[in-house]
């Protein structure tokens, strides 16, 4: 690997400078993404066509000095292997044809058929050979809870009341679904690793819907199962767990067996580091809205974030959530240059 800063940071080893990549670094803020998406006609066409998904993954790396690539796909991709019909609607996100709401819906789920998403593993092989080990390739999946949020609700929502109704009306049924999804996710990311991804990231975006006790029961318990299985089969592949729930259960997250925790921007990264010590690396956590600011303010906020983390190994710089679609493009280079220039572990 020519640039292994991220792999080193994930092992909490010293690096020449803090590595940086962005959640949603391939996407609508890039004119070349918008052009290709228009030509292809839809997000799903892009993500299901290996040549196009590979091209989209590489687009941000041609423009920017990023320290990682991330597979272009979606957390709903796994639904293709469960024979669930869905669409990704512009500006809205995933929409399921038939949400999973009843015992009948969930009991009728077919066995996972990973061959239905061969296009993903084909895409990974193409990216892997195109990258020529320039930077690591991150593969990913949704956490069982976050995936269940879309599968039960049927679409994005502020409150996800269908999901949370099931949480209290029929917890056993929700556990049945989460159990299915944790096994499916472990198999899915294992195949990604076999195809060539070097890091796994799990997105627990909707964990902030849960109180602490239910967070353990409905989210962390299943993430732990996935982490254990991956670590047993692939002990050298690092796992990053992103959660959008502030500082909730930080110590518990650090004890799951993952290598790094991705933080949203509401967490003080210095306090988080004090809490988790050297057990895990931390990824994050600039407020994505800072990307709308002037270069001066941007540099000030980046410096604050790096200082706040402190002079310790194990920081991967990122945003606290995905890249907004309409930021000034030049600000992306400002971030990368500032993070790389600021001497650090
Ligand atoms: O980070 C990357 O560059 C890799 C690609 C990636 C996408 N989705 C592409 C995408 C990744 C890692 C995801 C993960 C994902 N998808 C999550 C977890 C991370 C997060 O952002 O919280 C979630 C919750 C989803 C579900 C989803 N897919 C939503 C909510 C949306 C709408 C987002 C929006 O801004 O409109 C999508 C669609 C989607 N996934 C787009 C992209 C580039 C936009 C599609 C388009 O309109 O072209």
């Amino acid at each position: 690997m020519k640039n292994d800063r991220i792999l080193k940071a994930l092992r909490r080893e010293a690096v020449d400078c803090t590595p940086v990549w962005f959640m949603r670094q391939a996407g609508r803020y890039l004119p070349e993404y918008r052009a290709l998406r228009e030509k292809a006609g839809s997000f799903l066409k892009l993500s299901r066509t290996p040549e196009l998904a590979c091209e989209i993954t590489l687009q941000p790396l041609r423009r920017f000095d990023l320290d990682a690539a991330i597979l272009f796909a979606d957390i709903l991709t796994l639904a293709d292997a469960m024979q669930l019909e869905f669409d990704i609607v512009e500006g809205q996100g995933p929409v399921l044809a038939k949400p999973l709401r009843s015992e009948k819906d969930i009991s009728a789920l077919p066995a996972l058929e990973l061959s239905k998403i061969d296009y993903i593993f084909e895409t990974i092989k193409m990216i892997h050979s195109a990258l020529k080990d320039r930077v690591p390739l991150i593969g990913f999946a949704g956490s069982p809870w976050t995936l269940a949020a879309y599968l039960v609700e049927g679409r994005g929502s502020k409150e996800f009341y269908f999901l949370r109704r099931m949480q209290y009306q029929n917890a056993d049924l929700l556990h049945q679904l989460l159990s299915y999804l944790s096994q499916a996710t472990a198999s899915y990311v294992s195949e990604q690793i076999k195809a060539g991804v070097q890091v796994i990231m799990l997105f627990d975006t909707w964990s902030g819907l849960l109180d602490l006790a239910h967070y353990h029961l409905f989210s962390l318990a299943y993430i732990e199962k996935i982490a254990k299985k991956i670590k047993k089969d692939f002990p050298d592949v690092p796992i990053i767990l992103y959660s959008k729930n502030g500082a909730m259960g930080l110590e518990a997250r650090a004890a799951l067996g993952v290598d790094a925790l991705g933080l949203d921007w509401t967490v003080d990264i210095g306090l988080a580091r004090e809490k988790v010590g050297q057990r895990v690396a931390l990824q994050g956590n600039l407020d994505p809205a800072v990307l709308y600011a002037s270069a001066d303010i941007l540099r000030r906020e980046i410096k604050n974030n790096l200082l706040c983390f402190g002079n310790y190994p194990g920081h991967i710089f990122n945003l606290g959530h995905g890249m907004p679609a309409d930021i000034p493009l030049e600000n992306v280079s400002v971030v990368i240059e500032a993070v790389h220039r600021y001497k650090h572990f």
Side-chain angles (χ1 to χ4, degrees):
M1 187 68 55
K2 292 183 192 87
N3 172 347
D4 63 349
R5 281 178 194 138
I6 283 194
L7 302 177
K8 281 188 171 147
L10 282 165
R11 295 192 295 261
R12 276 83 76 206
E13 291 172 11
V15 282
D16 59 337
C17 63
T18 305
V20 50
W21 71 280
F22 299 94
M23 292 192 272
R24 288 282 161 85
Q25 67 188 23
R28 281 171 308 187
Y29 77 105
L30 287 175
E32 57 271 34
Y33 171 84
R34 295 196 296 270
L36 208 55
R37 187 181 180 292
E38 191 159 335
K39 221 167 112 194
S42 72
F43 173 87
L44 286 178
K45 178 79 196 290
L46 281 183
S47 67
R48 288 172 180 156
T49 313
E51 292 76 13
L52 298 178
C54 172
E55 169 60 20
I56 301 265
T57 300
L58 298 174
Q59 280 178 347
L61 284 108
R62 295 208 185 93
R63 253 182 205 269
F64 308 116
D65 185 17
L66 292 157
D67 295 302
I70 179 160
L71 167 70
F72 183 76
D74 197 77
I75 59 166
L76 263 292
T77 298
L78 191 59
D80 272 348
M82 297 165 63
Q83 290 166 47
L84 296 173
E85 217 181 295
F86 70 98
D87 199 2
I88 300 274
V89 178
E90 170 114 46
Q92 199 187 334
V95 178
L96 267 284
K98 290 195 199 107
L100 305 177
R101 302 257 173 89
S102 68
E103 302 218 11
K104 206 169 129 237
D105 296 336
I106 290 171
S107 301
L109 280 175
L112 188 75
E113 253 191 86
L114 285 175
S115 60
K116 298 256 186 246
I117 50 172
D118 262 342
Y119 62 84
I120 286 289
F121 311 118
E122 201 52 44
T123 302
I124 292 171
K125 287 177 198 154
M126 288 179 75
I127 302 167
H128 195 257
S129 77
L131 273 177
K132 298 194 181 71
D133 279 338
R134 172 179 155 192
V135 291
L137 173 61
I138 303 172
F140 71 91
S143 72
W145 169 258
T146 292
L147 203 49
Y150 288 100
L151 298 182
V152 172
E153 200 70 25
R155 58 182 62 226
S157 157
K158 240 162 112 179
E159 308 289 357
F160 284 89
Y161 276 134
F162 281 108
L163 170 74
R164 295 190 314 120
R165 202 181 301 188
M166 191 184 285
Q167 181 191 332
Y168 292 105
Q169 284 184 344
N170 198 345
D172 287 349
L173 185 62
L174 186 51
H175 280 300
Q176 191 185 324
L177 176 60
L178 293 167
S179 218
Y180 175 105
L181 292 175
S182 59
Q183 284 171 34
T185 302
S187 311
Y188 177 40
V189 297
S190 297
E191 284 309 305
Q192 291 188 23
I193 294 168
K194 288 184 204 155
V197 306
Q198 288 119 340
V199 177
I200 290 293
M201 177 137 161
L202 297 172
F203 286 95
D204 200 14
T205 306
W206 291 111
S207 48
L209 294 166
L210 291 158
D211 62 57
L212 184 60
H214 289 96
Y215 177 41
H216 280 269
L217 280 175
F218 288 99
S219 182
L220 293 186
Y222 293 97
I223 290 170
E224 187 167 28
K225 283 183 203 217
I226 298 169
K228 280 219 169 96
K229 176 88 177 90
I230 300 305
K231 286 293 173 188
K232 184 169 146 273
D233 296 344
F234 307 97
D236 298 332
V237 176
I239 305 172
I240 306 171
L241 168 63
Y242 170 78
S243 319
K244 191 161 176 287
N245 61 358
M248 189 162 73
L250 258 180
E251 284 106 330
R253 272 185 258 165
L256 291 174
V258 302
D259 300 270
L261 303 180
L263 305 175
D264 72 60
W265 67 96
T266 66
V267 189
D268 181 293
I269 197 168
L271 292 181
R273 196 199 50 74
E274 276 172 32
K275 275 198 173 167
V276 304
Q278 280 301 299
R279 274 175 295 173
V280 285
L282 294 177
Q283 177 173 278
N285 67 340
L286 192 73
D287 181 350
V290 182
L291 285 165
Y292 293 104
S294 66
D296 281 355
I297 291 178
L298 199 45
R299 288 193 193 98
R300 182 192 73 195
E301 294 298 319
I302 290 162
K303 197 163 182 181
N304 276 346
N305 193 271
L306 292 167
L307 281 171
C308 192
F309 184 86
N311 204 20
Y312 301 91
H315 185 195
I316 298 167
F317 196 90
N318 205 311
L319 303 175
H321 199 198
M323 185 91 93
D326 57 349
I327 48 133
L329 260 188
E330 60 277 15
N331 274 356
V332 179
S333 309
V334 173
V335 177
I336 297 171
E337 279 168 26
V339 173
H340 281 166
R341 198 164 1 99
Y342 192 83
K343 279 289 172 215
H344 209 62
F345 256 103

